[in-house]
């Protein structure tokens, strides 16, 4: 019988949100929230076909055990923790250091699932890095953000607004200007990126002021995943840029 695939950041975030809301305590199998989360995880568009081919995939028992892993590996836990894993510890750390933001991320993911919007968006190769890793908030919120950022109409409106206001079409992180480098080929070209993750700005209709102009390189660096980290805002990425030697 095939084994259930490893838990993803998306799944761990939803489980850890329940643990946090439960006072950093595990949830027993008889808790209705465990049953609800089990059903939710089995429906996520991540592990294609697992819910149908693996009977115990994200079962009530496995969900309850995962909440035990997350609760017992908290630094303040008194007793012997369960084994857990690296991603469990990353998720615990994220909820300890940024509880409000992580709870908002979990709520945004639940909203996208509840409205059905996330089920209608195709997978995006950039939601994971080259090693198959995602940001700590998971791949589904990244998929959602990338889908919105690639809306040609939204990008066109943002460029039209900047042109009307006489603003340059250059990267807000590194100041790269496609037109200055590539001439006519690059004139009028720039990519757009949400200044804040969707769960921070609020899951709502995107406004033009929510978007920043980025070159392709900086855009990819904003979305690049590293273990236990979140996506970078343009401001945070600019702070990470290596300063040229004097």
């Amino acid at each position: 019988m095939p084994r259930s695939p490893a838990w993803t950041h998306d799944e761990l975030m939803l489980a850890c949100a329940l643990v946090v809301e439960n006072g950093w305590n595990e949830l027993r199998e008889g808790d209705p929230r465990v049953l609800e989360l089990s059903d939710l995880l089995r429906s996520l568009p991540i592990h294609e076909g697992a819910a149908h081919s693996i009977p115990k995939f994200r079962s009530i028992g496995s969900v309850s055990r995962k909440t035990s892993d997350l609760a017992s590996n908290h630094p303040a836990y008194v007793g012997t923790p369960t084994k857990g894993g690296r991603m469990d510890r990353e998720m615990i750390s994220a909820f300890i250091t940024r509880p409000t933001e992580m709870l908002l991320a979990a709520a945004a993911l639940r909203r996208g699932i509840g409205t059905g919007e996330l089920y209608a968006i195709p997978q995006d190769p950039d939601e994971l890095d080259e090693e198959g890793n995602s940001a700590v908030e998971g791949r589904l919120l990244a998929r959602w953000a990338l889908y919105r950022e690639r809306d040609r109409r939204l990008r066109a409106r943002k460029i039209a607004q900047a042109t009307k206001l006489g603003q340059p079409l250059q990267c807000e992180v590194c100041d790269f200007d496609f037109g200055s480098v590539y001439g006519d080929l690059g004139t009028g070209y720039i990519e757009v990126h949400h200044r804040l993750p969707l769960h921070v700005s609020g899951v709502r209709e995107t406004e033009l002021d929510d978007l920043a102009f980025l070159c392709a390189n900086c855009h990819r660096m904003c979305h690049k995943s590293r273990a236990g980290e979140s996506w970078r805002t343009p401001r945070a990425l600019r702070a990470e840029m290596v300063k040229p030697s004097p």
Side-chain angles (χ1 to χ4, degrees):
M1 180 180 296
R3 298 180 61 182
S4 291
W7 284 65
T8 65
H9 279 119
D10 308 73
E11 297 170 303
L12 289 173
M13 181 172 66
L14 293 173
C16 200
L18 283 187
V19 172
V20 172
E21 292 165 357
N22 199 42
W24 278 103
N25 294 307
E26 66 176 316
L27 286 82
R28 302 289 187 176
E29 291 187 25
D31 193 312
R33 293 171 293 180
V34 173
L35 173 59
E36 185 272 339
L37 182 57
S38 172
D39 289 340
L40 182 64
L41 296 180
R42 288 173 62 84
S43 77
L44 290 183
I46 299 177
H47 306 293
E48 300 299 334
H52 299 290
S53 61
I54 305 174
K56 293 186 177 181
F57 172 71
R58 303 302 180 255
S59 64
I60 293 173
S62 68
V63 171
S64 177
R65 286 193 296 274
K66 183 51 66 179
T67 68
S68 179
D69 291 339
L70 294 165
S72 67
N73 280 275
H74 188 286
Y77 180 78
V78 178
T80 304
T82 61
K83 185 177 181 181
R86 174 183 59 82
M87 288 177 59
D88 294 336
R89 292 187 289 274
E90 289 174 0
M91 191 59 61
I92 292 166
S93 177
F95 271 92
I96 290 174
T97 56
R98 298 180 290 115
T100 300
E101 186 175 330
M102 293 303 295
L103 287 170
L104 285 173
L109 180 53
R110 280 184 171 272
R111 176 176 173 178
I113 295 165
T115 62
E117 186 172 356
L118 275 170
Y119 294 102
I121 300 173
Q123 292 187 22
D124 190 301
D126 290 333
E127 68 194 44
L128 297 173
D129 67 11
E130 293 81 359
E131 285 75 43
N133 301 311
S134 73
V136 72
E137 294 86 354
R139 61 190 293 184
L140 292 178
L141 288 180
R143 182 185 302 179
W144 199 356
L146 288 164
Y147 179 78
R148 290 189 173 198
E149 289 172 0
R150 287 168 182 167
D151 184 333
R152 293 183 179 182
R153 294 168 298 178
L154 190 63
R155 176 176 165 274
R157 286 173 50 210
K158 177 69 175 177
I159 290 176
Q161 179 195 59
T163 302
K164 182 178 180 180
L165 296 175
Q167 299 171 342
L169 297 183
Q170 65 184 38
C171 179
E172 296 183 24
V173 173
C174 71
D175 300 326
F176 185 86
D177 185 316
F178 283 90
S180 297
V181 176
Y182 298 108
D184 291 342
L185 179 64
T187 298
Y189 181 80
I190 196 72
E191 296 184 8
V192 296
H193 174 77
H194 284 89
R195 296 184 185 278
L196 294 173
L198 293 179
H199 57 275
V200 176
S201 65
V203 182
R204 53 179 168 76
E205 184 175 351
T206 301
E207 299 178 2
L208 297 183
D209 288 343
D210 296 333
L211 301 172
F213 286 136
L214 294 183
C215 69
N217 284 345
C218 288
H219 198 181
R220 182 166 288 274
M221 289 297 100
C222 277
H223 281 289
K224 189 177 188 300
S225 300
R226 285 197 300 202
E229 293 189 9
S230 298
W231 310 303
R232 280 156 289 285
T233 63
R235 177 177 295 182
L237 181 63
R238 191 177 187 100
E240 284 200 31
M241 291 182 67
V242 177
K243 304 296 187 294
S245 301

